[in-house]
Amino acid sequence: MREIYPPHYAAFHCIAGACPDSCCKEWEIVVDAESVEKYQMVSGELGNRLRQAMITDADGDVIFQEHEKRCPFWNAQQLCDIHGELGETALCETCRQFPRVTQDYGDFIEYDISPACPEAAWLLMELTPEQWLLSENDCPEVAGSLPEYDGKIMQQRKDQRRILFACLQDTSVPALKQMSHCLELVTQWADFSEGTSDAICTEDDILSFLNGCEVLTEDWKMILTRARENPEVSLFYDAALDKEIRLFGMDMLYRYYLRTAYSDDPFAILLPVQLAAFAVCTVLTLTAHIKIQEEQRLRIWQLFVKEIEYDGDNLEELEWQLETNAAFSPAALCAYFESVGGA
């Protein structure tokens, strides 16, 4: 079994009460069956609280019933009562793993830390594009299962992803131009033709989509409101933003691109690159409308993942729009990058 890690994975440690956007609030926490059984056996006041907090949602999942959009076990010190009284091993699988992401392909596993977590996002953006190098090691004690994909297709996807990484690591060309090049490459690989469409993705298209989505956090709501209320657009495209685009793009392609090996649809490889490109468009648009500083921009990168990528309904709608809406086609996204000027 091969295990693969991005360069910042080992550096991650939860900063607990110091976190500016705890995963203990504004999210539904699903409790796995093993933890449910374990929590039923906990004695004392904490045991009573656990049993009272566990409810079954409309999807049939057991969750902790939120109190004022917070996990009921997240205390005034912004720490977890379950962790404090029973230890880390007592946490449910969701809380124990997040923001770590595991993608098991059968004969190899890829690990990442999701930039939905502020600390993970900060570690990602502290890298340089040249430092985005994956590390691999053998783990013989972990037995892999038979892969459920075609080996030739997976190797092709790995080779393609390396090419996309190399594009985004090439700092001799602006990041937006390289994002456009990535979109052009996957359209060629998929033999995808958009005909004679001259559609362009605009800020109005982006804001219209974002405003139609479910909103989880007050910060995201405030950002969208400020963007709507300020029609003036002024984007300062600098070296820091250029670097962020490269790193975020590589991280998203790392998490999504190889999954397309499971699909029989030859156009499936378009979606991960479109998704990364749309995230970049979102950050550029919101940054231009509300004129924020670099540190605040990191918050938008992080919240895009939390609000769009980690909300099943929002992500499903975005994927549908990317597949069907001419304003979000590969060519239209490239035209948006060209209009920004950074390309």
Side-chain angles (χ1 to χ4, degrees):
M1 172 70 78
R2 299 287 287 172
E3 294 184 323
I4 303 168
Y5 300 88
H8 58 307
Y9 186 88
F12 175 77
H13 296 283
C14 177
I15 58 175
C19 183
D21 185 23
S22 174
C23 50
C24 299
K25 64 183 179 72
E26 299 168 327
W27 262 346
E28 185 178 90
I29 298 174
V30 177
V31 185
D32 58 283
E34 183 178 340
S35 295
V36 170
E37 184 176 350
K38 181 167 53 180
Y39 293 158
Q40 295 289 357
M41 305 301 293
V42 176
S43 60
E45 181 185 351
L46 180 61
N48 291 332
R49 290 175 61 198
L50 282 163
R51 286 181 284 277
Q52 291 172 3
M54 289 187 292
I55 62 171
T56 302
D57 68 7
D59 296 323
D61 294 322
V62 176
I63 63 171
F64 286 140
Q65 187 172 29
E66 293 180 323
H67 175 66
E68 296 180 350
K69 295 188 175 182
R70 298 162 56 103
C71 172
F73 301 99
W74 195 46
N75 61 36
Q77 290 73 44
Q78 301 189 69
L79 298 173
C80 174
D81 286 336
I82 300 174
H83 187 289
E85 292 194 33
L86 301 178
E88 183 177 358
T89 57
L91 296 175
C92 65
E93 185 176 355
T94 300
C95 298
R96 192 167 58 249
Q97 294 297 325
F98 185 82
R100 299 168 187 86
V101 179
T102 302
Q103 186 67 35
D104 189 343
Y105 291 98
D107 55 344
F108 69 98
I109 300 176
E110 293 197 333
Y111 298 90
D112 196 19
I113 47 173
S114 170
C117 164
E119 180 69 5
W122 182 83
L123 287 171
L124 172 64
M125 296 306 188
E126 280 293 290
L127 298 171
T128 65
E130 294 78 13
Q131 290 173 324
W132 180 265
L133 299 172
L134 302 178
S135 60
E136 299 186 23
N137 61 268
D138 287 315
C139 190
E141 65 271 20
V142 178
S145 58
L146 291 176
E148 298 180 1
Y149 54 77
D150 183 285
K152 290 183 178 179
I153 293 177
M154 178 58 80
Q155 187 57 53
Q156 183 185 60
R157 297 293 181 267
K158 288 180 178 179
D159 293 340
Q160 290 171 343
R161 189 176 68 172
R162 277 193 289 269
I163 293 171
L164 297 174
F165 284 168
C167 287
L168 293 172
Q169 287 175 312
D170 181 3
T171 56
S172 68
V173 178
L176 292 185
K177 191 162 186 66
Q178 293 292 37
M179 284 297 304
S180 292
H181 186 43
C182 289
L183 287 163
E184 291 163 356
L185 282 172
V186 290
T187 58
Q188 293 171 16
W189 294 335
D191 196 21
F192 176 75
S193 174
E194 298 185 67
T196 58
S197 173
D198 56 357
I200 180 172
C201 178
T202 68
E203 275 112 7
D204 287 343
D205 294 319
I206 296 162
L207 291 174
S208 177
F209 170 79
L210 296 174
N211 287 314
C213 288
E214 178 185 12
V215 175
L216 300 177
T217 66
E218 287 301 316
D219 276 6
W220 190 245
K221 181 179 180 181
M222 178 189 68
I223 289 168
L224 294 180
T225 300
R226 288 176 61 190
R228 283 197 306 268
E229 293 176 349
N230 183 16
E232 295 183 11
V233 177
S234 177
L235 177 66
F236 180 60
Y237 190 93
D238 60 3
L241 177 55
D242 189 271
K243 185 186 81 162
E244 292 165 17
I245 291 167
R246 298 174 192 277
L247 290 166
F248 191 88
M250 285 188 284
D251 187 71
M252 186 165 278
L253 292 176
Y254 172 61
R255 284 182 283 122
Y256 282 99
Y257 198 80
L258 296 192
R259 300 184 196 182
T260 63
Y262 293 109
S263 176
D264 295 328
D265 183 356
F267 299 148
I269 60 173
L270 298 174
L271 195 57
V273 187
Q274 284 177 273
L275 183 59
F278 184 83
V280 171
C281 292
T282 295
V283 173
L284 292 175
T285 295
L286 295 178
T287 299
H289 276 268
I290 61 180
K291 303 175 184 178
I292 58 176
Q293 302 300 315
E294 181 178 340
E295 182 178 340
Q296 296 170 303
R297 191 170 62 229
L298 177 60
R299 179 78 166 129
I300 296 181
W301 288 114
Q302 178 243 326
L303 283 176
F304 177 87
V305 181
K306 181 173 182 176
E307 292 277 350
I308 306 299
E309 189 180 340
Y310 271 63
D311 184 300
D313 291 337
N314 288 345
L315 180 60
E316 183 178 351
E317 179 60 26
L318 176 55
E319 290 176 342
W320 172 253
Q321 291 291 328
L322 293 174
E323 291 173 347
T324 63
N325 189 340
F328 298 145
S329 68
L333 293 168
C334 288
Y336 174 83
F337 293 145
E338 184 68 28
S339 73
V340 168

